[in-house]
Amino acid sequence: MSEASEPRLPEEIREAIDALRPRYPTEEALLLPALHMAQRHWDGWLPDEAIAAVAHELNLTPAKVYGVVTFYDLYHQNPVGRHRLRVCTNLPCALRGAEEVLDSLRSHLQVDEDEVTADGKCSFVHFECLGACEQAPMMMVDDDYHAHLTPESVRRIVEELD
Amino acid sequence: MAFEPVLLRNVGKPGVRQVAGYREAGGYKGLEKALGMEPDAVIEEVKASGLRGRGGAGFPAGLKWSFIPKGNDKPKYLVCNADESEPGTFKDRILMEQDPQQLIEGCAICCWAVSANTCYIYIRGEYVEQAEILEEAIRDAYANGILGDDVMGSGFKLDMYVHRGAGAYICGEETGMLESLEGRRGQPRIKPPFPAVVGAFGCPTVINNVETLCNVPHILERGADWYKSIGTDERNTGPKLYCVSGHVEKPGTYEFPIGVTMNQLIDTCGGMWRGAKLKAFIPGGASAAILPAKHADLPLDFDQLAKAGSMLGSAAVIVMDENTDIVRAVHRLAKFFNHESCGQCTPCREGTNWSELVLKKILAGKGNPGDAELILRICRNMGGTTLCALADAAVGPLRSLVQNFPEEIAAWIDNGGAGAEPRRYFAEEVLV
């Protein structure tokens, strides 16, 4: 493969990374911020192309970047829905009915965890504690928290997404 | 004497996220005072206050600061631990949302005390809104001369950055956090060397929890003696945030002098949910041993809880009523620890996996008479045998299930699942 055809980050992300460079004494420390930006650009997940582009930008090997991607729950290696739902099912939420909320969501979307609905709109996962136990049961839709869910309200919230 | 909130005193006040509003509410007096003192005197004041870390381990904060070597041959760092991921814990989120300048002030005082010119606030990746609030507050602090090349006209230089994690409980462990900050998998390091000597980027580093740092401005402003007058005794001082969740009417973050009791917290929360009776509670997050209701009058402080075989931890109080199945509850926590084990140490990687499997088997009605002993054996293999405290944390709820609730596990095993109608985590009618 020629040099020119290798995956590169878009210019605006490279500039954003440059702006963060003075914050850290090493290039490697830019990896998590860079992956967050790349994932946003690649529709919410990190295809091999994105991993290669980040690795090139930070002078790291793709294997090293891949190792970091697989470690963290917020980085995805498979396509996700336009909206990503993370339902907390840890104990404080479970005590207030989180499993029933998750069951309701699963039957409403008619897909299983980590699968994308046929219209590409949603994918969901159960998640560990999101640090909002006073709002239990709760979930995260993209970047936002939704509180005091019921099996009915979780369906309504999905319906209202574009 | 009524207790006046300290850490939550600015909750709901308009404009306090900005420097001007925070100052109007009395803020930045602690930093101003600290900058007029010798750094060592600041450390002594924090030592004298008895402030112990609010993240889980309860290590004396001033002592931690004093471990940073003197001299200027290497840069020094403060990393503020805002990775708040201990199940049941949501106090740091409230502090960052409601009063970000209080945290910036605490960080700045710590940096002055240990001569650090850079502070990273490592915030869990899921706290997107809170990271934005902090970024905004930091920008305002730069614009008002609180941060930058000349902190409050003192000549002290301080830069502060928000660094977002990406979803991993283990990054709340000090050295896991440093690995993650440096752009690697968040696998804890071998200690020693401790971060005070070899921390972020190989340099001396203080790591403190958000709530710990939020106490610091008040200690400087009002003095160690005032601070020590709050709490149960000289080893348990100051105000404390308790995160109450589960089966209470009004779950939330409540501030008390350290050493409030479970019963007082339940009263504050408007009583038990739907009037049910208390069966058990976890006083310090998922890593703490589960205590039966008979301990509800115990002061929830570091030492009393340790004596009762549990711990204050992050003071995440998870309340479970009489309808709760403790075996199911512990299975959920075991599943959590299995998911979050970084896999580096064999006893943890295997132990967290097997403990989840054994509990799953019991809940499937296939338990054997020796399973309680098997769980204890897994605990013995995990406890104290790993690089970090995650395995010890996983042991907390497991061991307490066998030791404090033997009848619950026996009911599942004896009935072979046949008569053991799975009780629910919650009262079903609320969902209708």
Side-chain angles (χ1 to χ4, degrees):
Chain A
M1 195 190 281
S2 73
E3 184 73 17
S5 68
E6 280 174 26
R8 294 285 180 268
L9 290 174
E11 195 52 36
E12 69 269 20
I13 294 183
R14 298 179 65 184
E15 281 169 16
I17 291 172
D18 276 341
L20 295 180
R21 277 202 164 84
R23 295 184 172 198
Y24 306 98
T26 65
E27 284 267 294
E28 197 180 0
L30 291 158
L31 182 50
L32 265 63
L35 287 171
H36 282 305
M37 289 184 237
Q39 182 161 277
R40 203 167 277 269
H41 176 76
W42 267 276
D43 297 325
W45 68 294
L46 292 162
D48 288 349
E49 184 193 357
I51 289 174
V54 169
H56 180 269
E57 177 66 23
L58 300 179
N59 292 312
L60 302 167
T61 63
K64 141 89 197 182
V65 177
Y66 186 79
V68 168
V69 168
T70 55
F71 188 82
Y72 295 95
D73 287 342
L74 293 183
Y75 298 136
H76 305 288
Q77 295 161 265
N78 291 302
V80 293
R82 274 203 312 288
H83 297 288
R84 290 163 295 284
L85 288 73
R86 299 184 175 98
V87 182
C88 176
T89 58
N90 206 302
L91 185 57
C93 277
L95 292 170
R96 306 289 293 228
E99 288 188 355
E100 288 65 22
V101 168
L102 190 71
D103 288 345
S104 171
L105 184 64
R106 183 183 288 115
S107 66
H108 184 65
L109 294 177
Q110 297 193 318
V111 290
D112 217 332
E113 292 197 34
D114 274 326
E115 294 173 0
V116 183
T117 53
D119 58 2
K121 181 170 147 181
C122 291
S123 56
F124 79 97
V125 287
H126 81 278
F127 216 72
E128 296 301 349
C129 185
L130 286 160
C133 319
E134 85 279 28
Q135 305 170 15
M138 58 79 61
M139 69 171 171
M140 206 175 167
V141 179
D142 303 326
D143 290 344
D144 300 321
Y145 280 23
H146 291 257
H148 305 300
L149 301 175
T150 67
E152 289 72 35
S153 75
V154 74
R155 292 170 178 231
R156 254 196 331 272
I157 290 166
V158 168
E159 284 312 302
E160 283 162 13
L161 294 171
D162 50 36
Chain B
M1 191 179 67
F3 170 68
E4 290 277 325
V6 178
L7 305 170
L8 298 182
R9 77 195 192 297
N10 284 340
V11 169
K13 283 187 195 164
V16 290
R17 283 180 185 170
Q18 276 82 46
V19 171
Y22 180 68
R23 273 200 155 134
E24 220 163 277
Y28 282 119
K29 287 184 188 146
L31 177 58
E32 195 173 5
K33 195 162 159 195
L35 292 167
M37 295 163 67
E38 287 300 318
D40 279 348
V42 175
I43 295 178
E44 286 309 312
E45 192 71 15
V46 174
K47 265 192 193 169
S49 75
L51 170 64
R52 293 172 68 174
R54 278 8 184 184
F59 194 82
L63 190 59
K64 203 181 219 182
W65 297 6
S66 72
F67 294 154
I68 297 291
K70 313 289 175 209
N72 288 320
D73 49 335
K74 269 185 177 179
K76 300 174 182 74
Y77 294 102
L78 167 64
V79 179
C80 168
N81 187 341
D83 193 53
E84 186 160 75
S85 306
E86 180 74 18
T89 316
F90 45 98
K91 63 193 176 63
D92 298 339
R93 195 191 90 239
I94 304 287
L95 287 168
M96 292 185 284
E97 269 172 21
Q98 297 287 330
D99 204 359
Q101 298 291 343
Q102 176 176 245
L103 177 60
I104 294 171
E105 184 178 7
C107 290
I109 294 170
C110 175
C111 287
W112 169 247
V114 302
S115 304
N117 299 112
T118 309
C119 168
Y120 298 103
I121 301 177
Y122 183 103
I123 186 168
R124 65 177 299 179
E126 295 85 350
Y127 284 174
V128 179
E129 186 193 340
Q130 292 73 22
E132 283 165 8
I133 290 169
L134 279 176
E135 295 269 17
E136 183 71 41
I138 287 172
R139 267 197 296 277
D140 196 56
Y142 270 102
N144 284 278
I146 301 291
L147 297 173
D149 290 339
D150 186 15
V151 175
M152 293 186 94
S154 65
F156 176 58
K157 179 181 184 320
L158 177 58
D159 286 310
M160 195 174 290
Y161 307 117
V162 176
H163 188 92
R164 288 183 59 217
Y169 171 70
I170 194 60
C171 294
E173 197 273 349
E174 288 192 341
T175 58
M177 172 168 292
L178 296 176
E179 286 291 300
S180 181
L181 171 68
E182 293 182 28
R184 294 192 280 270
R185 297 162 69 90
Q187 293 181 319
R189 298 173 179 171
I190 297 174
K191 291 156 283 230
F194 289 95
V197 184
V198 183
F201 308 107
C203 297
T205 302
V206 172
I207 302 156
N208 278 150
N209 166 262
V210 168
E211 185 188 353
T212 311
L213 289 162
C214 286
N215 274 271
V216 169
H218 307 284
I219 292 168
L220 267 291
E221 188 193 336
R222 299 166 83 168
D225 287 337
W226 161 81
Y227 191 85
K228 273 193 302 195
S229 72
I230 302 169
T232 33
D233 55 36
E234 77 282 355
R235 286 179 42 84
N236 295 274
T237 62
K240 182 77 198 79
L241 300 185
Y242 291 88
C243 313
V244 191
S245 65
H247 295 145
V248 290
E249 280 292 327
K250 286 183 288 178
T253 297
Y254 298 93
E255 183 172 1
F256 279 97
I258 197 165
V260 69
T261 68
M262 186 67 258
N263 278 333
Q264 285 172 293
L265 284 175
I266 291 171
D267 285 346
T268 305
C269 293
M272 289 294 291
W273 198 33
R274 302 182 162 244
K277 268 170 51 191
L278 176 70
K279 179 192 255 184
F281 63 101
I282 305 180
S287 311
I290 306 177
L291 295 174
K294 68 175 181 189
H295 291 289
D297 279 321
L298 189 75
L300 304 177
D301 71 18
F302 292 107
D303 297 326
Q304 302 269 0
L305 280 166
K307 257 187 253 164
S310 189
M311 64 174 186
L312 181 63
S314 59
V317 183
I318 306 172
V319 181
M320 291 175 272
D321 72 14
E322 56 195 321
N323 302 312
T324 312
D325 190 321
I326 304 294
V327 181
R328 286 191 71 194
V330 173
H331 171 253
R332 183 62 189 87
L333 297 176
K335 191 175 161 187
F336 165 75
F337 286 113
N338 185 21
H339 178 74
E340 300 294 349
S341 171
C342 81
Q344 202 177 191
C345 307
T346 307
C348 178
R349 183 181 65 244
E350 294 297 315
T352 54
N353 188 37
W354 281 107
S355 58
E356 184 193 340
L357 289 177
V358 171
L359 287 166
K360 192 175 166 190
K361 182 189 75 169
I362 293 171
L363 288 170
K366 294 175 186 161
N368 299 317
D371 281 348
E373 179 50 39
L374 177 60
I375 290 171
L376 289 180
R377 209 161 71 223
I378 295 171
C379 290
R380 282 196 295 275
N381 284 331
M382 277 198 283
T385 57
T386 52
L387 283 184
C388 86
L390 189 140
D392 302 285
V395 165
L398 286 172
R399 187 174 276 152
S400 65
L401 168 65
V402 179
Q403 291 178 343
N404 297 344
F405 303 92
E407 69 289 351
E408 296 248 348
I409 199 163
W412 271 103
I413 292 172
D414 295 348
N415 292 327
E421 181 66 21
R423 272 168 291 175
R424 305 196 75 89
Y425 288 114
F426 69 101
E428 214 166 340
E429 60 269 30
V430 76
L431 297 174
V432 182

